[in-house]
Amino acid sequence: MKLNDRFTSVAVMASLLAGLLAVPFALVACGDSDSSPAAVGEDTSSSQVFSSSEKLASSSSEKSVSSSSVKFADSSSAKKVESSSSGTLAESSSSEKVAESSSNRASSSSSEKPAGSSDSGVCTNCDSYTAADPTLVENGGKGSVTTYGSITAKETSLGGACNYGQTNIQYYAAIHVNVSPGDDKGPWDGGMACGGCVHVKAKTPDGWKEVTVRITDRCPDADCGVDLGGAPASDIMGIQVGRYYGEWEFVSCEGVEGVWGDSTSIWVKEGASTYWSIIQVRNPKDAVRKIVFNEVDGDKTYPLEFVVGTENFWTVPKEVLQSEKSYSVVVTYRSGTDDEWILKGSDLAVPEANLYLYEHRKK
């Protein structure tokens, strides 16, 4: 072989050896960064292989990152949901507790109110109830309960503004004229309340105490409700006289002890004559609502007018006073059945005549 051919063979072998040595370095360079230039001696197929590997790795990495992101998002969302749910539950639980607490407070407050049968009526400083206008309720009222009688002597009623005169009534009281000062809107009503009974209960240190009294007087004072006479005041207040909180209801006097001074009668006022006469019912079953005279042997009827000014009296027509005819005198009460007397017209012209029902009742 010629010298020139040997040189050529050596050069080819050296070139092959250099190419083989360059492959590892190309592999290392390819793994470092996809931005590195291709190594010398790297062919197109190798580049494609490594490019596909890079893309696959990149895709796998992206999927892994994406999957991680989804998992993180799901985890974050779950945490948010859990947090939101926990917050809602916490708020709900808190609201229920607040509602329950409010309910308990309301229940406690309700038990302290005087209205209703659950109220025991027990109080402290009971004799120092703050003065206030009485309140009207259906068939009664509430407000101040006071006394104008003696709690030791327990005198009987002297008749008061109802003009009954001396009586044997032990349980009596005055009722308020006004609701607000000077308005005349109380149950006194010009004396129409006279003779009726009222059931009174008041708060005391021992709880509610109750008594039934007959109205014989009026109480025009500001803040007055029911002003008790001696005996009932002692029953409620004992020896601690003062202004108590109370409630009252108008009732019939039938069957009530201590409110009767005598039998029921029609009483003729002093000064009566055949020209003028006014009458009242004493010891009635309840407050009188109307009185009507009916001729027994005729068809004439005379409804009596309630006297204005002289409280608790009714005017008898002069025609009746000057007659010897018999009349059915029908008295209608606020409650209960009517009472009926049979009287001559001239009987009502006799001053201070006291015409008992049991003596003149219709047979």
Side-chain angles (χ1 to χ4, degrees), residues 19-239:
L20 290 172
L21 290 174
V23 169
F25 291 105
L27 289 172
V28 172
C30 186
D32 284 344
S33 172
D34 56 1
S35 59
S36 299
V40 176
E42 183 179 3
D43 59 13
T44 303
S45 62
S46 296
S47 298
Q48 288 176 348
V49 169
F50 282 106
S51 176
S52 297
S53 299
E54 286 177 306
K55 288 181 181 179
L56 179 61
S58 175
S59 173
S60 175
S61 176
E62 286 175 359
K63 287 181 180 179
S64 176
V65 170
S66 175
S67 175
S68 298
S69 298
V70 169
K71 288 180 181 180
F72 178 79
D74 288 345
S75 173
S76 176
S77 175
K79 286 181 180 179
K80 284 182 181 179
V81 170
E82 182 180 356
S83 174
S84 174
S85 176
S86 299
T88 303
L89 290 173
E91 288 177 6
S92 175
S93 176
S94 176
S95 299
E96 288 175 359
K97 288 181 180 179
V98 170
E100 182 179 358
S101 175
S102 299
S103 176
N104 290 337
R105 284 197 297 270
S107 175
S108 174
S109 175
S110 176
S111 66
E112 294 171 2
K113 293 180 180 179
S117 59
S118 61
D119 182 13
S120 66
V122 175
C123 58
T124 56
N125 300 319
C126 304
D127 59 323
S128 300
Y129 173 68
T130 302
D133 292 340
T135 301
L136 297 178
V137 299
E138 185 178 359
N139 197 39
K142 56 186 178 179
S144 296
V145 174
T146 52
T147 180
Y148 66 96
S150 169
I151 60 171
T152 55
K154 299 184 180 181
E155 306 100 331
T156 55
S157 172
L158 299 176
C162 289
N163 295 297
Y164 289 135
Q166 179 65 55
T167 75
N168 292 317
I169 299 171
Q170 294 180 316
Y171 282 75
Y172 57 95
I175 195 72
H176 62 105
V177 173
N178 305 309
V179 175
S180 297
D183 65 4
D184 290 325
K185 292 184 178 179
W188 172 252
D189 194 17
M192 289 291 288
C194 285
C197 282
V198 59
H199 181 76
V200 181
K201 67 176 185 176
K203 284 188 168 185
T204 77
D206 299 321
W208 291 110
K209 289 190 176 181
E210 307 179 21
V211 68
T212 300
V213 294
R214 188 187 289 275
I215 300 303
T216 62
D217 207 351
R218 57 184 166 84
C219 182
D221 304 339
D223 307 319
C224 183
V226 175
D227 202 18
L228 301 172
S234 176
D235 288 355
I236 286 180
M237 302 176 185
I239 60 172

